[in-house]
Amino acid sequence: MAKLHAVVGDVHGCFDALRRLEDRIARHAAREGLEPVVVSVGDLVDRGPKASGVVGHVRRGVAAGTHVAVLGNHEEMMLASIEAFAPGLLSEAGVVLHPAVVPYGAVWDRQQTPSSAWMPREMFCWFRTLMWLSQGGATTLQSYGTPRPHDPATWAMDEEDLRFLCGLPLVFRSDTIVVTHALLSAEALVALDADDEEVLRKASGMALWGRARPPTPPDPARIHVSGHTVLPRVRRRGRLRTVQVDTGAFLGRRLSAWCAETDRVVSVPA
């Protein structure tokens, strides 16, 4: 059966809304005689109350072939914080850090941010970790049973979920769409396949954090779909062949999906 790729915006732990949205996607696909594939733009974790439920559900869906997911910047922050202060969680899960995630210590060593210049290395690592905790990381840890998110010695994480997140790709491609978490340029999209570490690092940063509208279509043959930037509604830009699907579920607005094969928007209140 032909597929319906439904690209879902940033879920951010809103598990109940995700399940309701998937039900609507399934009904739409059935009416069209298509088999639904739920494609997540990343940011499964943080902010909402049920991050562990979201990650486990999507992980099982990927294994079953019903779901696809790419890495988001909130997964990047979470993994970098774990590497900095709870690396035992990675070793217990038998995984190494995701190749797109630059450890906080390495960011400081390279003096990549203005705060690197005036903070000692350990303080910088704590600063970045506290940023993650304050932007929803604490809620994610609590969903996994962590009693004191401010104390890394208490951090808990499901090993299967951690292995899953460390293996997420930065990009998903089908015949008609290319999906990354954030907006990026055509040059950066090509660079995601580069062998050069520095080139790949810069392109990865744009795929996870980019908000600037590209001057030309990122992929001349496919429509580029992304999340990351909250908008009041799903935004299609025909000239640039882009679709942005984050409609602020974690803010209590809506969780939305754009169905590529039917050009249909499906959404639910969050």
Side-chain angles (χ1 to χ4, degrees):
M1 184 182 292
K3 307 289 187 183
L4 176 78
H5 292 91
V7 189
V8 176
D10 304 30
V11 179
H12 279 307
C14 299
F15 190 29
D16 296 339
L18 175 61
R19 297 306 302 270
R20 287 187 281 113
L21 181 61
E22 289 180 347
D23 288 343
R24 292 203 61 187
I25 291 168
R27 291 196 295 271
H28 173 57
R31 287 194 296 269
E32 300 293 330
L34 299 170
E35 181 180 353
V37 177
V38 176
V39 183
S40 168
V41 298
D43 279 9
L44 301 172
V45 302
D46 296 352
R47 292 175 168 158
K50 298 181 180 179
S52 61
V54 171
V55 175
H57 174 71
V58 174
R59 170 175 56 79
R60 290 186 291 272
V62 170
T66 59
H67 290 64
V68 172
V70 299
L71 189 75
N73 67 297
H74 277 260
E75 285 85 28
E76 181 205 32
M77 289 192 292
M78 183 186 76
L79 294 172
S81 298
I82 288 173
E83 189 278 337
F85 292 104
L89 293 177
L90 293 169
S91 58
E92 289 167 11
V95 292
V96 295
L97 191 63
H98 192 291
V101 177
V102 181
Y104 292 150
V107 175
W108 187 90
D109 292 342
R110 296 170 181 171
Q111 297 290 291
Q112 288 179 264
T113 67
S115 54
S116 304
W118 55 270
M119 283 187 186
R121 194 176 194 269
E122 184 175 359
M123 183 183 293
F124 175 80
C125 293
W126 262 115
F127 169 67
R128 297 295 288 264
T129 297
L130 290 171
M131 286 181 62
W132 169 62
L133 291 172
S134 68
Q135 294 181 38
T139 306
T140 292
L141 290 170
Q142 288 170 333
S143 78
Y144 280 103
T146 295
R148 298 186 299 280
H150 63 279
D151 180 4
T154 72
W155 288 3
M157 186 76 190
D158 181 88
E159 291 184 5
E160 287 186 85
D161 286 357
L162 193 52
R163 286 193 289 270
F164 170 68
L165 295 175
C166 282
L168 284 176
L170 283 168
V171 60
F172 166 74
R173 295 179 176 91
S174 74
D175 291 339
T176 57
I177 59 173
V178 55
V179 179
T180 58
H181 178 64
L183 285 168
L184 78 176
S185 65
E187 293 78 13
L189 183 59
V190 171
L192 289 177
D193 297 321
D195 293 328
D196 184 283
E197 182 178 345
E198 185 65 17
V199 171
L200 180 58
R201 182 180 62 79
K202 290 181 180 179
S204 298
M206 186 176 289
L208 294 171
W209 293 90
R211 297 191 192 274
R213 191 183 307 178
T216 59
D219 188 316
R222 303 175 179 90
I223 295 174
H224 176 240
V225 193
S226 66
H228 187 52
T229 299
V230 177
L231 298 170
R233 64 186 183 278
V234 171
R235 179 72 57 83
R236 305 172 179 89
R237 290 189 170 91
R239 182 182 66 83
L240 289 177
R241 296 177 59 80
T242 62
V243 180
Q244 292 173 271
V245 293
D246 184 8
T247 52
F250 77 94
L251 295 170
R253 298 178 185 175
R254 300 188 73 83
L255 183 64
S256 302
W258 176 70
C259 302
E261 286 74 14
T262 60
D263 191 24
R264 169 77 179 271
V265 173
V266 180
S267 73
V268 296

